[in-house]
Amino acid sequence: MGQQETVATSLADTVRTEIGAALAVTDADLARRYPGDPGTRQPVHTVYVPGDVFTAGTLRSWGDQALAALDAHAPDAAAFAAVLGIPDELAGPVHDRVRAKLVREPVEDLRIDFEDGYGHCPDAEEDEAAAHAAALVAAAGKEGTGAPYMGIRMKCMEAAVRDRGIRTLDIFLTGLMAAGGLPDGLVLTLPKVTYAEQVTAMVRLLAEFEKAAGLASGRLGFEIQIETTQSILGADGRATVARMIEAAEGRATALHYGTFDYSASCGVSAAHQSLDHPVADHAKAVMQAAAAGTGVRLSDGSTNVLPVGPTSRVHDAWRLHHGLVRRSLARAYYQGWDMHPGHLPTRYAAVYAFYREGLEQASARLAAYVAKAGGDVMDEPATARALSGYLLRGLDCGAVDTSEVARLTGLTRADLDALAGRPVKTA
């Protein structure tokens, strides 16, 4: 067009200006409450070990026990795939990557437990265990032998154990500071939260420690474990978990579903307490809606059916765990809890198969979107974010390689970050 045409409008410019001014507070509130994904790696699981059991060799021991379980009960790719129902074309790649992962990095996220898995010990014993945990975490960070994410689960903010939980956290954090500072992958878990006021108390506790230790305000964040009905639906009929995220004042990093405490609080009998029970699905759906867009991530819980005993029993437990992990992944719970080394093979098998089986289709759709080439699916920007997020999660956990994604999409890691709405990392 040689000459730009003038289009007619009816509204004065002041209308747009006034509407913008009227919505300025709303704009700021949306940006504060819903900043989006933090753009960092999310571990695929959390392993928790009692505080008095954890040693410098725990992570390697879990990997070795997981490899031994594979050798004993599924010694090759075909046998492993047959147990879990993995398609033939994925059997080799998944099996090889699982074994490599168990050698290289068997645990992605470790929680040293001072709550249910630890129990009640004399104060002097818990003091010593907390200090020892700090020393081991600090040493692992310096030596490069730790998991990417490590931390503790303290006792909750209920009156009976509150002082003990606060003291354990203080000892642990003080020990880390004395050993050289807080590690980058530090994670703290607050269990059995029922009221938003308990989250407020945790925020104050961490802020006071930051002041005492000379840390920047906001340096310490924490996970909230959802284990009670009151954390989902309050006495006033409102979704308590949304209030908890707000009460955390930006410090909440994740919501973790507690399978057995929550199920028990709903009156579910022990034989039916599971990740796929309807009460679990309801709780996690509320968590998911409350956390969406906030940057607070979700984690599913665990199964207590352990893959131990004769091969037939191990295979049954593996099939159960593998199916539960796949179910969670399909429902966008990209993390879960593992209770036994024998769960590691099926955790990684489910995760790797999930990302590899959709690799080519997701890559093709994303490449077509970027090229505006069309195809048999018309994707929107929101779907492009989901597609790139899927590929990024696969890259982060080791299910797929950068070279594979680049070949199939023509995109770099920075391209994927930008499409996913993540901060683009610069060298």
Side-chain angles (χ1 to χ4, degrees), residues 84-365:
L84 303 180
I86 295 174
D88 291 344
E89 64 272 17
L90 293 178
V94 167
H95 178 264
D96 291 347
R97 286 172 186 268
V98 168
R99 291 196 67 94
K101 179 75 167 180
L102 294 174
V103 171
R104 182 184 74 254
E105 186 184 80
V107 175
E108 291 196 357
D109 183 28
L110 174 75
R111 206 68 70 251
I112 305 167
D113 191 30
F114 288 93
E115 201 229 356
D116 284 350
Y118 181 76
H120 297 280
C121 297
D123 284 340
E125 288 186 18
E126 185 159 341
D127 284 355
E128 183 179 355
H132 186 56
L136 290 175
V137 169
K142 292 175 182 176
E143 297 164 6
T145 57
Y149 299 91
M150 300 179 72
I152 66 167
R153 179 170 72 169
M154 60 189 281
K155 290 179 172 63
C156 69
M157 285 291 181
E158 293 176 358
V161 294
R162 182 186 305 138
D163 288 349
R164 180 63 260 182
I166 291 172
R167 180 172 174 82
T168 296
L169 179 64
D170 189 3
I171 291 170
F172 179 71
L173 293 176
T174 299
L176 289 177
M177 292 299 297
L182 304 181
D184 290 338
L186 176 66
V187 190
L188 308 174
T189 305
L190 179 66
K192 293 184 176 60
V193 184
T194 54
Y195 281 71
E197 288 77 6
Q198 293 167 328
V199 173
T200 298
M202 184 68 168
V203 169
R204 180 183 175 187
L205 178 62
L206 297 182
E208 292 293 340
F209 186 88
E210 288 166 351
K211 290 179 186 176
L215 295 168
S217 177
R219 168 64 179 85
L220 292 166
F222 62 101
E223 302 169 333
I224 301 171
Q225 256 193 313
I226 305 300
E227 301 179 271
T228 66
T229 56
Q230 295 93 335
S231 61
I232 294 297
L233 188 66
D236 57 3
R238 292 192 291 174
T240 315
V241 65
R243 295 182 57 220
M244 291 176 180
I245 293 173
E246 178 69 10
E249 299 179 15
R251 292 181 185 265
T253 57
L255 303 174
H256 285 238
Y257 177 68
T259 309
F260 306 105
D261 283 282
Y262 188 87
S263 298
S265 73
C266 290
V268 179
S269 63
H272 298 283
Q273 293 176 0
S274 175
L275 297 178
D276 58 358
H277 193 281
V279 302
D281 285 341
H282 171 259
K284 289 180 285 189
V286 175
M287 291 164 57
Q288 194 169 46
T294 65
V296 177
R297 287 170 165 168
L298 299 173
S299 175
D300 212 336
S302 60
T303 177
N304 61 357
V305 179
L306 304 184
V308 296
T311 294
S312 61
R313 190 175 301 169
V314 170
H315 286 182
D316 287 343
W318 272 354
R319 279 189 286 267
L320 173 66
H321 184 242
H322 181 264
L324 289 171
V325 175
R326 280 195 60 88
R327 184 179 190 274
S328 295
L329 290 167
R331 285 158 175 76
Y333 311 121
Y334 298 114
Q335 186 175 353
W337 282 52
D338 290 326
M339 300 180 69
H340 187 272
H343 285 143
L344 298 185
T346 40
R347 168 69 62 182
Y348 291 122
V351 170
Y352 289 174
F354 178 77
Y355 290 112
R356 292 204 66 81
E357 68 191 14
L359 172 61
E360 292 194 6
Q361 183 185 54
S363 297
R365 287 177 65 180

Side-chain angles (χ1 to χ4, degrees), residues 10-103:
S10 300
L11 298 174
D13 289 344
T14 54
V15 173
R16 295 196 304 274
T17 302
E18 289 168 0
I19 289 176
L23 289 175
V25 173
T26 298
D27 293 340
D29 197 49
L30 281 169
R32 178 182 68 83
R33 292 176 186 268
Y34 303 103
D37 189 90
T40 54
R41 172 184 178 183
Q42 180 179 10
V44 302
H45 69 168
T46 300
V47 162
Y48 76 110
V49 178
D52 55 348
V53 173
F54 177 63
T55 70
T58 293
L59 297 178
R60 187 62 265 151
S61 174
W62 271 61
D64 291 343
Q65 289 180 67
L67 286 166
L70 274 176
D71 290 339
H73 304 294
D76 56 43
F80 194 44
V83 173
L84 303 180
I86 295 174
D88 291 344
E89 64 272 17
L90 293 178
V94 167
H95 178 264
D96 291 347
R97 286 172 186 268
V98 168
R99 291 196 67 94
K101 179 75 167 180
L102 294 174
V103 171

